[in-house]
Amino acid sequence: MRRSLVAANWKMNGSREFITELLGAMLKRLDVAATETDILVCPPAPYYDLCAGMLEGSAVKLGAQNAHEAQSGAFTGEIAANMLTDFDVSMVILGHSERRSDGETDEQVAHKCAAVLAQGMLPIVCVGETLQEREAGQAESVVKRQLGAVLDHCGIEALAEAVIAYEPVWAIGTGETATPEQAQQMHAFIRGTVAQQSGHSAAKMRILYGGSVNAGNAAALFAQEDIDGGLVGGASLKPDEFITICESVSK
Ligand code: PEP
């Protein structure tokens, strides 16, 4: 049985004051929800320390929004995966479409994934097609290519521990959500693709849905057989809404 996971991606939002209030307002009820579901908050990097302190003794986990694949060196502005372990970061979002659209390649995502796994953290690898690709009938081939790069570089066994987030680009921050059936279809495709190489990895791997998840649509999405939770952007900045989403997990 896979344990569900709901991850909050705060993206580049907030301030010390805003994040203190946001996390402070949610923490007690999230802690209760975390007995049933893994819950992760991914703040902007300058606030890792603040959030790590606030999460001390809590079941809610700290996540990061990105990591660099190298351990150190001349990479101005980047953050190495090994640095994240100093803040008790347990999972790292990789290959978000907002980064892929800025030029991050499948190969870079795969190398980042290996670096994160090597540090004992779990990668949350984002995959998903654009509207143009969906309309051209390429949704599955795009997702298969993105997934394949990680599979080829990290190996099939690594995927048992990894989390995949299916995030159709056309649904991110747009208010347009994939229907539960559309999402389930792609999640089953992803699991089926992995199952061709390892039934064990396919059964263990968690697959999250992301794309305009909110308090109104979360339960129907999470009730689908192959949807193991959500990656939540905009709605995770609203305490009541995010709590309702976390409480919507039905398995
Ligand atoms: C995201 O950024 O990963 C995301 C899913 O955003 P939103 O929930 O706002 O669509």
Side-chain angles (χ1 to χ4, degrees):
M1 183 90 167
R2 295 180 295 274
R3 190 169 156 86
S4 301
L5 166 65
V6 181
N9 177 12
W10 292 342
K11 310 192 187 190
M12 197 176 71
N13 291 299
S15 60
R16 174 169 288 276
E17 191 186 345
F18 177 86
I19 285 176
T20 305
E21 261 179 44
L22 174 68
L23 190 53
M26 303 199 282
L27 199 48
K28 244 193 191 151
R29 282 178 64 196
L30 286 187
D31 236 346
V32 175
T35 57
E36 303 279 332
T37 305
D38 285 346
I39 297 175
L40 184 76
V41 294
C42 304
Y47 305 113
Y48 290 156
D49 209 22
L50 169 70
C51 291
M54 291 180 76
L55 293 175
E56 236 172 77
S58 162
V60 177
K61 297 183 169 86
L62 181 64
Q65 298 178 16
N66 183 36
H68 195 273
E69 57 271 36
Q71 290 218 339
S72 63
F75 300 103
T76 303
E78 295 286 352
I79 299 172
N82 48 296
M83 293 171 179
L84 298 175
T85 61
D86 280 339
F87 298 94
D88 288 333
V89 165
S90 58
M91 300 188 199
V92 186
I93 298 170
L94 298 173
H96 192 283
S97 62
E98 288 155 11
R99 298 192 58 81
R100 290 185 190 262
S101 69
D102 268 354
E104 195 162 280
T105 64
D106 294 341
E107 287 65 35
Q108 277 175 305
V109 174
H111 282 87
K112 288 176 176 208
C113 188
V116 163
L117 285 163
Q119 295 300 323
M121 298 179 290
L122 299 186
I124 301 177
V125 180
C126 300
V127 297
E129 79 288 356
T130 62
L131 185 58
Q132 205 183 13
E133 289 163 340
R134 174 161 282 260
E135 286 176 348
Q138 296 166 345
E140 289 188 349
S141 62
V142 167
V143 167
K144 194 172 180 178
R145 188 202 72 223
Q146 293 170 334
L147 190 63
V150 173
L151 260 170
D152 290 349
H153 186 69
C154 301
I156 187 70
E157 284 316 315
L159 274 209
E161 298 308 324
V163 178
I164 302 296
Y166 170 56
E167 298 208 307
V169 180
W170 47 271
I172 296 179
T174 59
E176 192 171 338
T177 320
T179 63
E181 294 73 27
Q182 276 175 321
Q184 165 58 26
Q185 197 177 9
M186 186 61 89
H187 282 229
F189 173 76
I190 292 169
R191 205 177 298 286
T193 301
V194 172
Q196 285 171 4
Q197 291 187 40
S198 165
H200 171 253
S201 291
K204 265 196 92 186
M205 178 183 75
R206 291 185 286 187
I207 312 176
L208 311 183
Y209 170 77
S212 298
V213 174
N214 60 41
N217 61 27
L221 285 160
F222 297 167
Q224 301 297 310
E225 189 180 343
D226 287 294
I227 300 184
D228 303 310
L231 179 53
V232 186
S236 70
L237 293 164
K238 302 173 193 156
D240 287 343
E241 180 117 17
F242 187 62
I243 290 163
T244 304
I245 293 168
C246 292
E247 291 173 348
S248 300
V249 176
S250 56
K251 57 190 175 191

